[in-house]
Coordinates of all heavy atoms in Angstrom, one line a residue:
M298 N 8.6 28.9 -31.1 CA 8.9 29.4 -29.8 C 8.0 30.4 -29.4 O 7.7 31.3 -30.1 CB 10.3 30.0 -29.9 CG 11.4 29.1 -29.3 SD 12.9 30.0 -29.1 CE 14.0 29.0 -30.1
N299 N 7.5 30.3 -28.1 CA 6.6 31.4 -27.6 C 7.5 32.4 -26.9 O 8.7 32.3 -26.8 CB 5.6 30.8 -26.7 CG 6.1 30.0 -25.5 OD1 7.3 30.3 -25.1 ND2 5.4 29.1 -25.0
A300 N 6.9 33.4 -26.4 CA 7.7 34.6 -25.8 C 8.4 34.1 -24.6 O 9.6 34.5 -24.4 CB 6.7 35.7 -25.4
Q301 N 7.8 33.3 -23.7 CA 8.5 32.8 -22.5 C 9.7 32.0 -22.9 O 10.8 32.1 -22.3 CB 7.6 32.0 -21.7 CG 8.1 31.7 -20.3 CD 7.1 31.0 -19.4 OE1 6.1 30.4 -19.9 NE2 7.3 31.0 -18.1
T302 N 9.6 31.1 -23.9 CA 10.7 30.3 -24.3 C 11.8 31.1 -24.9 O 13.0 30.9 -24.7 CB 10.2 29.2 -25.3 OG1 9.1 28.5 -24.8 CG2 11.3 28.2 -25.7
L303 N 11.4 32.1 -25.6 CA 12.4 33.0 -26.2 C 13.2 33.8 -25.1 O 14.4 33.9 -25.2 CB 11.7 34.0 -27.1 CG 12.6 34.9 -28.0 CD1 13.5 34.0 -28.9 CD2 11.8 35.8 -28.9
E304 N 12.5 34.2 -24.1 CA 13.2 34.8 -22.9 C 14.2 33.9 -22.3 O 15.3 34.3 -22.0 CB 12.2 35.3 -21.9 CG 11.4 36.5 -22.4 CD 10.3 36.9 -21.3 OE1 10.5 36.6 -20.1 OE2 9.3 37.5 -21.7
I305 N 13.8 32.7 -22.1 CA 14.7 31.7 -21.5 C 15.9 31.4 -22.4 O 17.0 31.3 -21.9 CB 13.9 30.4 -21.2 CG1 12.8 30.6 -20.1 CG2 14.8 29.2 -20.7 CD1 11.9 29.5 -19.9
Y306 N 15.6 31.3 -23.7 CA 16.7 31.1 -24.6 C 17.7 32.3 -24.5 O 18.9 32.0 -24.5 CB 16.1 31.0 -26.0 CG 17.1 31.0 -27.1 CD1 17.9 29.9 -27.4 CD2 17.4 32.2 -27.9 CE1 18.9 29.9 -28.3 CE2 18.3 32.1 -28.9 CZ 19.1 31.0 -29.1 OH 20.1 31.0 -30.1
E307 N 17.2 33.5 -24.5 CA 18.1 34.6 -24.4 C 19.0 34.6 -23.1 O 20.2 34.9 -23.1 CB 17.4 36.0 -24.4 CG 16.7 36.2 -25.8 CD 17.8 36.4 -26.9 OE1 18.9 36.9 -26.6 OE2 17.5 36.0 -28.0
I308 N 18.4 34.2 -22.0 CA 19.1 34.1 -20.7 C 20.2 33.0 -20.9 O 21.4 33.2 -20.5 CB 18.2 33.7 -19.6 CG1 17.2 35.0 -19.3 CG2 18.9 33.4 -18.3 CD1 16.1 34.7 -18.4
F309 N 19.8 31.8 -21.4 CA 20.8 30.7 -21.6 C 21.9 31.1 -22.6 O 23.0 30.8 -22.4 CB 20.1 29.4 -22.0 CG 19.5 28.7 -20.9 CD1 18.2 28.1 -21.1 CD2 20.1 28.5 -19.7 CE1 17.6 27.4 -20.1 CE2 19.5 27.8 -18.7 CZ 18.3 27.2 -18.8
K310 N 21.5 31.8 -23.6 CA 22.5 32.2 -24.6 C 23.6 33.1 -24.0 O 24.7 32.9 -24.3 CB 21.8 32.9 -25.8 CG 22.7 33.2 -27.0 CD 21.9 33.7 -28.2 CE 21.7 35.2 -28.1 NZ 21.1 35.8 -29.3
K311 N 23.2 34.0 -23.1 CA 24.1 34.9 -22.5 C 25.0 34.1 -21.5 O 26.2 34.3 -21.4 CB 23.4 36.0 -21.7 CG 22.8 37.0 -22.5 CD 22.1 38.0 -21.7 CE 21.2 39.0 -22.6 NZ 20.4 39.9 -21.7
Q312 N 24.5 33.1 -20.8 CA 25.2 32.3 -19.8 C 26.1 31.2 -20.4 O 27.2 31.1 -20.0 CB 24.2 31.7 -18.8 CG 23.4 32.7 -18.0 CD 24.3 33.5 -17.1 OE1 25.3 33.0 -16.5 NE2 24.0 34.8 -17.0
I313 N 25.5 30.4 -21.3 CA 26.3 29.2 -21.8 C 26.6 29.2 -23.3 O 27.2 28.3 -23.8 CB 25.5 28.0 -21.4 CG1 24.1 27.9 -22.0 CG2 25.4 27.8 -19.9 CD1 23.4 26.6 -21.8
G314 N 26.1 30.2 -24.0 CA 26.4 30.3 -25.4 C 25.2 29.8 -26.3 O 24.3 29.1 -25.8
E315 N 25.3 30.2 -27.5 CA 24.1 30.0 -28.4 C 23.9 28.5 -28.8 O 22.8 28.0 -28.6 CB 24.3 30.8 -29.7 CG 23.1 30.7 -30.6 CD 23.2 31.7 -31.8 OE1 24.0 32.6 -31.8 OE2 22.4 31.5 -32.7
P316 N 24.9 27.7 -29.1 CA 24.6 26.3 -29.5 C 24.1 25.5 -28.3 O 23.1 24.7 -28.4 CB 26.0 25.7 -29.9 CG 26.9 26.9 -30.2 CD 26.3 28.1 -29.4
E317 N 24.6 25.8 -27.1 CA 24.1 25.0 -25.9 C 22.7 25.5 -25.5 O 21.9 24.7 -25.1 CB 25.1 25.2 -24.7 CG 26.4 24.5 -24.9 CD 27.4 25.3 -25.8 OE1 27.1 26.4 -26.1 OE2 28.4 24.7 -26.1
A318 N 22.5 26.8 -25.6 CA 21.1 27.3 -25.3 C 20.1 26.7 -26.3 O 19.0 26.4 -25.9 CB 21.2 28.8 -25.4
T319 N 20.5 26.6 -27.5 CA 19.6 26.0 -28.5 C 19.3 24.5 -28.2 O 18.1 24.1 -28.2 CB 20.2 26.1 -29.9 OG1 20.5 27.4 -30.2 CG2 19.2 25.5 -31.0
K320 N 20.3 23.8 -27.7 CA 20.1 22.4 -27.3 C 19.2 22.3 -26.1 O 18.3 21.5 -26.1 CB 21.5 21.8 -27.0 CG 22.3 21.5 -28.2 CD 23.6 20.8 -27.8 CE 24.5 20.6 -29.1 NZ 25.8 20.1 -28.7
V321 N 19.4 23.2 -25.1 CA 18.6 23.2 -23.9 C 17.1 23.5 -24.3 O 16.2 22.8 -23.8 CB 19.1 24.1 -22.9 CG1 18.1 24.3 -21.7 CG2 20.5 23.7 -22.3
I322 N 16.9 24.5 -25.1 CA 15.5 24.9 -25.4 C 14.9 23.8 -26.3 O 13.7 23.4 -26.1 CB 15.5 26.2 -26.2 CG1 16.0 27.3 -25.3 CG2 14.2 26.5 -26.8 CD1 15.1 27.5 -24.0
T323 N 15.6 23.2 -27.2 CA 15.1 22.1 -28.0 C 14.7 20.9 -27.1 O 13.6 20.3 -27.3 CB 16.1 21.6 -29.0 OG1 16.5 22.7 -29.8 CG2 15.6 20.5 -29.9
Y324 N 15.5 20.6 -26.1 CA 15.2 19.5 -25.2 C 14.0 19.8 -24.4 O 13.1 19.0 -24.2 CB 16.4 19.3 -24.2 CG 16.1 18.3 -23.1 CD1 16.1 16.9 -23.4 CD2 15.8 18.7 -21.9 CE1 15.8 16.0 -22.4 CE2 15.5 17.8 -20.9 CZ 15.5 16.4 -21.2 OH 15.2 15.5 -20.2
L325 N 13.9 21.1 -23.9 CA 12.7 21.4 -23.1 C 11.4 21.4 -24.0 O 10.4 20.9 -23.5 CB 12.9 22.8 -22.5 CG 13.9 22.9 -21.4 CD1 14.1 24.4 -21.0 CD2 13.6 22.1 -20.2
E326 N 11.5 21.8 -25.2 CA 10.3 21.8 -26.1 C 9.9 20.4 -26.4 O 8.7 20.0 -26.4 CB 10.6 22.6 -27.3 CG 10.6 24.1 -27.1 CD 10.9 24.9 -28.4 OE1 11.4 24.3 -29.3 OE2 10.5 26.1 -28.4
D327 N 10.9 19.5 -26.6 CA 10.6 18.1 -26.9 C 10.0 17.4 -25.7 O 9.0 16.6 -25.8 CB 11.9 17.3 -27.3 CG 12.4 17.7 -28.7 OD1 11.7 18.3 -29.4 OD2 13.6 17.4 -29.0
A328 N 10.5 17.7 -24.5 CA 9.9 17.2 -23.3 C 8.5 17.6 -23.1 O 7.6 16.8 -22.7 CB 10.8 17.5 -22.1
R329 N 8.2 18.9 -23.4 CA 6.9 19.4 -23.3 C 5.9 18.8 -24.3 O 4.8 18.4 -24.0 CB 6.9 20.9 -23.5 CG 5.5 21.6 -23.3 CD 5.4 23.0 -23.7 NE 5.7 23.0 -25.2 CZ 6.2 24.0 -25.8 NH1 6.7 25.0 -25.2 NH2 6.4 23.9 -27.1
D330 N 6.4 18.6 -25.5 CA 5.6 18.0 -26.6 C 5.3 16.5 -26.2 O 4.2 16.0 -26.4 CB 6.3 18.0 -27.9 CG 6.4 19.4 -28.5 OD1 5.7 20.3 -28.0 OD2 7.2 19.7 -29.4
K331 N 6.3 15.8 -25.6 CA 6.1 14.4 -25.2 C 5.0 14.3 -24.1 O 4.2 13.4 -24.1 CB 7.4 13.8 -24.8 CG 8.3 13.4 -25.9 CD 9.6 12.8 -25.4 CE 10.6 12.5 -26.5 NZ 11.8 12.0 -26.0
E332 N 5.1 15.3 -23.2 CA 4.1 15.3 -22.1 C 2.7 15.6 -22.6 O 1.8 14.9 -22.2 CB 4.5 16.4 -21.1 CG 3.6 16.4 -19.9 CD 3.5 15.2 -19.1 OE1 4.5 14.4 -19.0 OE2 2.4 14.9 -18.5
I333 N 2.6 16.5 -23.5 CA 1.3 16.8 -24.1 C 0.8 15.6 -24.9 O -0.4 15.2 -24.7 CB 1.4 18.0 -25.0 CG1 1.6 19.3 -24.2 CG2 0.2 18.2 -25.9 CD1 2.0 20.5 -25.0
T334 N 1.7 15.0 -25.7 CA 1.3 13.8 -26.4 C 0.8 12.6 -25.5 O -0.2 12.0 -25.8 CB 2.4 13.3 -27.3 OG1 2.8 14.4 -28.2 CG2 2.0 12.1 -28.2
S335 N 1.6 12.4 -24.5 CA 1.2 11.3 -23.6 C -0.1 11.6 -22.8 O -0.9 10.7 -22.6 CB 2.3 11.0 -22.6 OG 2.5 12.1 -21.7
A336 N -0.3 12.9 -22.5 CA -1.6 13.3 -21.8 C -2.8 13.1 -22.8 O -3.8 12.5 -22.4 CB -1.5 14.7 -21.4
V337 N -2.6 13.4 -24.0 CA -3.7 13.2 -25.0 C -3.9 11.7 -25.2 O -5.1 11.2 -25.3 CB -3.3 13.9 -26.4 CG1 -4.3 13.4 -27.5 CG2 -3.3 15.4 -26.2
E338 N -2.8 10.9 -25.3 CA -3.0 9.5 -25.5 C -3.7 8.8 -24.3 O -4.5 7.9 -24.4 CB -1.6 8.8 -25.7 CG -1.0 9.1 -27.0 CD 0.4 8.6 -27.2 OE1 1.0 8.1 -26.2 OE2 0.9 8.7 -28.3
R339 N -3.4 9.3 -23.1 CA -4.1 8.8 -21.9 C -5.6 9.1 -21.9 O -6.4 8.3 -21.6 CB -3.5 9.4 -20.6 CG -2.2 8.8 -20.2 CD -1.8 9.1 -18.8 NE -1.8 10.6 -18.5 CZ -0.7 11.4 -18.7 NH1 0.4 10.9 -19.1 NH2 -0.8 12.7 -18.4
K340 N -5.9 10.3 -22.4 CA -7.4 10.7 -22.5 C -8.0 9.8 -23.6 O -9.2 9.5 -23.4 CB -7.5 12.2 -22.8 CG -7.1 13.0 -21.6 CD -7.3 14.5 -21.9 CE -6.9 15.3 -20.6 NZ -7.1 16.7 -20.8
I341 N -7.3 9.6 -24.7 CA -7.9 8.8 -25.8 C -8.2 7.4 -25.3 O -9.2 6.8 -25.7 CB -7.0 8.8 -27.0 CG1 -7.1 10.2 -27.7 CG2 -7.4 7.8 -28.0 CD1 -6.1 10.4 -28.8
E342 N -7.4 6.8 -24.5 CA -7.6 5.5 -24.0 C -8.9 5.3 -23.2 O -9.5 4.3 -23.2 CB -6.5 5.1 -23.1 CG -5.1 4.8 -23.8 CD -4.0 4.5 -22.8 OE1 -4.3 4.5 -21.6 OE2 -2.9 4.3 -23.2
H343 N -9.4 6.4 -22.6 CA -10.6 6.4 -21.9 C -11.9 6.8 -22.6 O -12.9 6.8 -22.1 CB -10.5 7.3 -20.6 CG -9.4 6.8 -19.7 ND1 -9.4 5.6 -19.0 CD2 -8.2 7.4 -19.4 CE1 -8.3 5.5 -18.3 NE2 -7.6 6.5 -18.5
L344 N -11.7 7.1 -23.9 CA -12.9 7.4 -24.7 C -13.6 6.2 -25.1 O -13.0 5.1 -25.4 CB -12.5 8.2 -26.0 CG -11.9 9.6 -25.7 CD1 -11.5 10.2 -27.1 CD2 -12.9 10.5 -25.1
A345 N -15.0 6.3 -25.2 CA -15.8 5.1 -25.6 C -16.1 5.2 -27.1 O -16.3 6.3 -27.6 CB -17.1 5.1 -24.8
T346 N -16.0 4.1 -27.8 CA -16.3 4.1 -29.2 C -17.8 3.7 -29.4 O -18.5 3.4 -28.4 CB -15.4 3.1 -29.9 OG1 -15.7 1.8 -29.4 CG2 -13.9 3.4 -29.8
K347 N -18.2 3.8 -30.6 CA -19.6 3.4 -30.9 C -19.9 2.0 -30.6 O -20.9 1.6 -30.1 CB -20.0 3.7 -32.3 CG -20.1 5.2 -32.7 CD -20.5 5.4 -34.1 CE -20.6 6.9 -34.4 NZ -20.9 7.1 -35.8
E348 N -18.8 1.1 -30.8 CA -19.0 -0.3 -30.5 C -19.1 -0.5 -29.0 O -19.9 -1.4 -28.5 CB -17.8 -1.1 -31.1 CG -17.7 -1.2 -32.6 CD -17.1 0.1 -33.2 OE1 -16.3 0.8 -32.5 OE2 -17.3 0.3 -34.4
D349 N -18.3 0.2 -28.2 CA -18.4 0.1 -26.8 C -19.8 0.5 -26.3 O -20.4 -0.2 -25.4 CB -17.3 1.0 -26.1 CG -15.9 0.6 -26.4 OD1 -15.7 -0.6 -26.7 OD2 -15.0 1.5 -26.3
L350 N -20.3 1.6 -26.8 CA -21.6 2.0 -26.4 C -22.7 1.0 -26.8 O -23.7 0.8 -26.1 CB -21.9 3.4 -27.0 CG -21.0 4.5 -26.5 CD1 -21.4 5.8 -27.2 CD2 -21.2 4.7 -25.0
A351 N -22.6 0.4 -28.0 CA -23.6 -0.5 -28.4 C -23.5 -1.8 -27.6 O -24.6 -2.3 -27.2 CB -23.3 -0.9 -29.9
R352 N -22.3 -2.2 -27.2 CA -22.2 -3.4 -26.3 C -22.7 -3.1 -24.9 O -23.4 -3.9 -24.4 CB -20.7 -3.7 -26.2 CG -20.4 -5.1 -25.9 CD -19.0 -5.6 -26.0 NE -18.1 -4.7 -26.8 CZ -17.1 -4.0 -26.4 NH1 -16.7 -4.1 -25.1 NH2 -16.3 -3.3 -27.2
L353 N -22.5 -1.9 -24.5 CA -23.0 -1.5 -23.2 C -24.5 -1.4 -23.2 O -25.2 -1.8 -22.2 CB -22.4 -0.1 -22.8 CG -22.8 0.4 -21.4 CD1 -22.3 -0.5 -20.3 CD2 -22.3 1.8 -21.2
D354 N -25.1 -0.9 -24.3 CA -26.5 -0.8 -24.4 C -27.2 -2.2 -24.4 O -28.2 -2.4 -23.7 CB -26.9 -0.1 -25.7 CG -28.4 0.2 -25.8 OD1 -29.0 0.6 -24.7 OD2 -29.0 0.1 -26.9
G355 N -26.5 -3.2 -25.0 CA -27.0 -4.5 -25.0 C -27.0 -5.1 -23.6 O -27.9 -5.8 -23.1
K356 N -25.9 -4.8 -22.9 CA -25.8 -5.3 -21.5 C -26.8 -4.7 -20.6 O -27.4 -5.4 -19.7 CB -24.4 -5.0 -20.9 CG -23.3 -5.9 -21.5 CD -22.0 -5.6 -20.9 CE -20.8 -6.4 -21.5 NZ -19.5 -6.0 -20.9
V357 N -27.1 -3.4 -20.8 CA -28.1 -2.7 -19.9 C -29.5 -3.3 -20.2 O -30.2 -3.5 -19.3 CB -28.1 -1.2 -20.2 CG1 -29.3 -0.5 -19.6 CG2 -26.8 -0.6 -19.7
S358 N -29.8 -3.6 -21.5 CA -31.1 -4.1 -21.8 C -31.2 -5.6 -21.2 O -32.3 -6.0 -20.7 CB -31.4 -4.1 -23.3 OG -30.5 -5.0 -23.9
D359 N -30.1 -6.3 -21.2 CA -30.2 -7.7 -20.6 C -30.4 -7.6 -19.1 O -31.2 -8.3 -18.5 CB -28.9 -8.4 -20.8 CG -28.7 -8.8 -22.3 OD1 -29.7 -8.8 -23.1 OD2 -27.5 -9.1 -22.7
V360 N -29.7 -6.7 -18.4 CA -29.9 -6.5 -17.0 C -31.3 -6.0 -16.7 O -31.9 -6.4 -15.7 CB -28.8 -5.5 -16.4 CG1 -29.1 -5.1 -15.0 CG2 -27.4 -6.2 -16.6
K361 N -31.8 -5.1 -17.5 CA -33.1 -4.6 -17.3 C -34.2 -5.7 -17.3 O -35.1 -5.8 -16.5 CB -33.4 -3.5 -18.3 CG -34.7 -2.7 -18.0 CD -35.1 -1.8 -19.1 CE -34.3 -0.5 -19.2 NZ -34.8 0.4 -20.2
S362 N -34.1 -6.6 -18.3 CA -35.0 -7.7 -18.4 C -34.9 -8.7 -17.2 O -35.9 -9.2 -16.7 CB -34.9 -8.4 -19.7 OG -33.6 -9.0 -19.8
E363 N -33.7 -8.9 -16.8 CA -33.4 -9.7 -15.6 C -34.1 -9.1 -14.4 O -34.7 -9.8 -13.6 CB -32.0 -10.0 -15.3 CG -31.3 -11.0 -16.3 CD -31.8 -12.4 -16.0 OE1 -31.9 -12.8 -14.8 OE2 -32.1 -13.1 -17.0
I364 N -33.9 -7.8 -14.2 CA -34.5 -7.2 -13.0 C -36.0 -7.3 -13.1 O -36.7 -7.5 -12.0 CB -34.1 -5.7 -13.0 CG1 -32.6 -5.6 -12.6 CG2 -34.9 -4.9 -12.0 CD1 -32.0 -4.2 -12.6
I365 N -36.6 -7.0 -14.2 CA -38.1 -7.1 -14.3 C -38.6 -8.5 -14.0 O -39.6 -8.7 -13.3 CB -38.5 -6.7 -15.7 CG1 -38.3 -5.2 -15.9 CG2 -40.0 -7.0 -16.0 CD1 -38.5 -4.6 -17.3
K366 N -37.8 -9.5 -14.5 CA -38.2 -10.9 -14.2 C -38.2 -11.2 -12.7 O -39.1 -11.8 -12.2 CB -37.2 -11.9 -15.0 CG -37.5 -13.4 -14.7 CD -36.5 -14.2 -15.4 CE -35.2 -14.3 -14.6 NZ -34.3 -15.3 -15.1
W367 N -37.1 -10.8 -12.1 CA -37.0 -11.1 -10.6 C -38.0 -10.2 -9.8 O -38.5 -10.7 -8.8 CB -35.6 -10.8 -10.1 CG -34.7 -12.0 -10.5 CD1 -33.8 -12.0 -11.5 CD2 -34.7 -13.3 -10.0 NE1 -33.2 -13.2 -11.6 CE2 -33.8 -14.0 -10.7 CE3 -35.5 -13.9 -9.0 CZ2 -33.5 -15.4 -10.4 CZ3 -35.2 -15.2 -8.7 CH2 -34.3 -16.0 -9.4
M368 N -38.4 -9.1 -10.3 CA -39.4 -8.3 -9.6 C -40.7 -9.0 -9.7 O -41.5 -9.1 -8.6 CB -39.6 -6.9 -10.3 CG -38.5 -5.9 -10.0 SD -38.5 -4.4 -10.9 CE -40.2 -3.9 -10.7
F369 N -41.1 -9.6 -10.8 CA -42.4 -10.4 -10.9 C -42.3 -11.6 -10.0 O -43.3 -11.9 -9.3 CB -42.7 -10.8 -12.3 CG -43.3 -9.6 -13.1 CD1 -42.7 -9.1 -14.2 CD2 -44.5 -9.1 -12.7 CE1 -43.2 -8.1 -14.9 CE2 -45.1 -8.1 -13.5 CZ -44.5 -7.6 -14.6
I370 N -41.2 -12.3 -9.9 CA -41.1 -13.4 -9.0 C -41.2 -13.0 -7.6 O -41.9 -13.6 -6.8 CB -39.7 -14.1 -9.3 CG1 -39.7 -14.8 -10.7 CG2 -39.4 -15.1 -8.2 CD1 -38.3 -15.3 -11.1
F371 N -40.6 -11.9 -7.2 CA -40.7 -11.4 -5.8 C -42.2 -11.0 -5.5 O -42.7 -11.3 -4.5 CB -39.8 -10.1 -5.7 CG -40.0 -9.4 -4.4 CD1 -39.4 -10.0 -3.2 CD2 -40.7 -8.3 -4.3 CE1 -39.5 -9.4 -2.0 CE2 -40.8 -7.6 -3.0 CZ -40.2 -8.2 -1.9
W372 N -42.9 -10.3 -6.5 CA -44.2 -9.9 -6.2 C -45.1 -11.1 -6.1 O -46.1 -11.2 -5.3 CB -44.8 -9.1 -7.4 CG -44.1 -7.7 -7.4 CD1 -43.5 -7.0 -6.4 CD2 -44.1 -6.9 -8.6 NE1 -43.1 -5.8 -6.9 CE2 -43.4 -5.7 -8.2 CE3 -44.5 -7.0 -9.9 CZ2 -43.2 -4.6 -9.1 CZ3 -44.3 -5.9 -10.8 CH2 -43.6 -4.8 -10.4
I373 N -44.9 -12.2 -6.9 CA -45.7 -13.4 -6.8 C -45.5 -14.0 -5.4 O -46.5 -14.5 -4.8 CB -45.4 -14.4 -8.0 CG1 -45.9 -13.8 -9.3 CG2 -46.0 -15.7 -7.7 CD1 -45.5 -14.5 -10.5
G374 N -44.3 -14.1 -5.0 CA -44.0 -14.6 -3.7 C -44.6 -13.8 -2.6 O -45.2 -14.4 -1.6
Q375 N -44.6 -12.5 -2.7 CA -45.3 -11.6 -1.7 C -46.8 -11.8 -1.6 O -47.4 -11.9 -0.5 CB -44.9 -10.1 -1.9 CG -43.5 -9.8 -1.7 CD -43.1 -9.9 -0.3 OE1 -43.8 -9.5 0.6 NE2 -42.0 -10.6 0.0
V376 N -47.4 -12.0 -2.8 CA -48.8 -12.2 -2.9 C -49.1 -13.6 -2.3 O -50.1 -13.7 -1.5 CB -49.3 -12.1 -4.3 CG1 -50.8 -12.6 -4.5 CG2 -49.2 -10.7 -4.8
A377 N -48.3 -14.6 -2.5 CA -48.6 -15.9 -2.0 C -48.4 -15.9 -0.4 O -49.3 -16.5 0.3 CB -47.6 -16.9 -2.6
V378 N -47.4 -15.2 0.1 CA -47.3 -15.1 1.5 C -48.4 -14.3 2.1 O -49.0 -14.7 3.2 CB -45.9 -14.4 1.9 CG1 -45.9 -14.0 3.4 CG2 -44.8 -15.3 1.5
F379 N -48.8 -13.2 1.5 CA -50.0 -12.5 2.0 C -51.3 -13.3 2.0 O -52.0 -13.3 3.0 CB -50.1 -11.2 1.2 CG -51.2 -10.3 1.7 CD1 -51.1 -9.6 2.9 CD2 -52.4 -10.1 1.0 CE1 -52.1 -8.8 3.4 CE2 -53.4 -9.3 1.5 CZ -53.3 -8.6 2.7
A380 N -51.5 -14.0 0.9 CA -52.7 -14.8 0.8 C -52.6 -15.9 1.9 O -53.7 -16.2 2.5 CB -52.8 -15.5 -0.5
G381 N -51.5 -16.5 2.2 CA -51.4 -17.5 3.2 C -51.7 -16.9 4.6 O -52.3 -17.6 5.4
I382 N -51.2 -15.7 4.9 CA -51.5 -15.1 6.2 C -53.0 -14.8 6.3 O -53.6 -15.1 7.3 CB -50.6 -13.8 6.3 CG1 -49.1 -14.1 6.5 CG2 -51.1 -13.0 7.5 CD1 -48.2 -12.9 6.4
V383 N -53.6 -14.3 5.2 CA -55.0 -14.0 5.3 C -55.8 -15.3 5.4 O -56.7 -15.4 6.2 CB -55.4 -13.2 4.0 CG1 -57.0 -13.1 3.9 CG2 -54.8 -11.8 4.0
F384 N -55.4 -16.3 4.7 CA -56.1 -17.6 4.8 C -56.0 -18.2 6.2 O -57.0 -18.7 6.8 CB -55.5 -18.6 3.8 CG -56.2 -19.9 3.8 CD1 -57.5 -20.1 3.3 CD2 -55.5 -21.0 4.3 CE1 -58.1 -21.3 3.3 CE2 -56.1 -22.3 4.3 CZ -57.4 -22.4 3.8
A385 N -54.8 -18.1 6.8 CA -54.6 -18.6 8.2 C -55.4 -17.8 9.2 O -55.9 -18.3 10.1 CB -53.1 -18.5 8.5
A386 N -55.4 -16.4 9.0 CA -56.2 -15.6 9.9 C -57.7 -15.9 9.8 O -58.4 -15.9 10.8 CB -55.9 -14.1 9.6
L387 N -58.2 -16.1 8.6 CA -59.6 -16.5 8.5 C -59.9 -17.8 9.0 O -61.0 -18.1 9.5 CB -60.0 -16.4 7.0 CG -60.0 -15.0 6.4 CD1 -60.3 -15.1 4.9 CD2 -61.0 -14.1 7.1
K388 N -59.0 -18.8 8.9 CA -59.2 -20.1 9.4 C -59.2 -20.2 11.0 O -59.8 -21.0 11.6 CB -58.1 -21.0 8.9 CG -58.4 -22.5 9.0 CD -57.9 -23.2 7.8 CE -58.4 -24.6 7.9 NZ -58.7 -25.2 6.8
M389 N -58.5 -19.2 11.6 CA -58.4 -19.2 13.0 C -59.7 -18.7 13.7 O -60.0 -19.0 14.8 CB -57.3 -18.3 13.5 CG -55.9 -18.8 13.2 SD -54.6 -17.7 13.6 CE -54.4 -18.1 15.4
K390 N -60.5 -18.0 13.0 CA -61.8 -17.5 13.6 C -62.7 -18.6 13.8 O -63.3 -19.3 13.9 CB -62.4 -16.4 12.7 CG -61.7 -15.1 12.8 CD -62.4 -14.1 12.0 CE -61.8 -12.7 12.3 NZ -62.5 -11.7 11.7

């Protein structure tokens, strides 16, 4: 029991008696402990494990290689279009 809980216990003890005050304080402490436990469990659910990070690293490397592949395809297409425009411009003269 902390100081604040002890003060509340003393107030309840004067008003409703010692056994009932003990029950109320026990209930409040249990409720607080359950809330703390559930908050910790919610945070644990969102933690990443080493396996999660390894899987994510694999996905990132796959995406990175796909992006590089499509960048080269785009650049080749741009060079082909530019060459076609230059060829057409030279042919028009």
Side-chain angles (χ1 to χ4, degrees):
M298 253 191 240
N299 60 25
Q301 188 177 20
T302 307
L303 192 56
E304 288 177 25
I305 294 171
Y306 171 75
E307 291 297 325
I308 293 169
F309 279 138
K310 187 169 85 171
K311 289 177 188 174
Q312 296 293 322
I313 60 175
E315 189 172 343
E317 291 81 8
T319 304
K320 287 180 184 178
V321 169
I322 294 301
T323 303
Y324 174 78
L325 291 175
E326 287 178 340
D327 289 346
R329 183 191 65 211
D330 291 344
K331 285 180 185 176
E332 180 61 32
I333 291 171
T334 303
S335 66
V337 168
E338 288 173 353
R339 284 193 305 270
K340 288 182 181 180
I341 287 174
E342 288 176 2
H343 297 294
L344 292 176
T346 62
K347 288 182 180 180
E348 293 83 19
D349 294 335
L350 294 176
R352 205 170 340 117
L353 182 63
D354 190 38
K356 288 181 182 179
V357 168
S358 64
D359 291 344
V360 169
K361 193 190 278 187
S362 64
E363 282 291 314
I364 288 173
I365 291 172
K366 177 180 80 172
W367 284 106
M368 283 173 50
F369 279 116
I370 292 171
F371 175 76
W372 292 338
I373 290 170
Q375 291 296 312
V376 168
V378 168
F379 183 71
I382 291 172
V383 169
F384 182 72
L387 292 176
K388 195 144 188 148
M389 291 177 83
K390 283 190 174 183

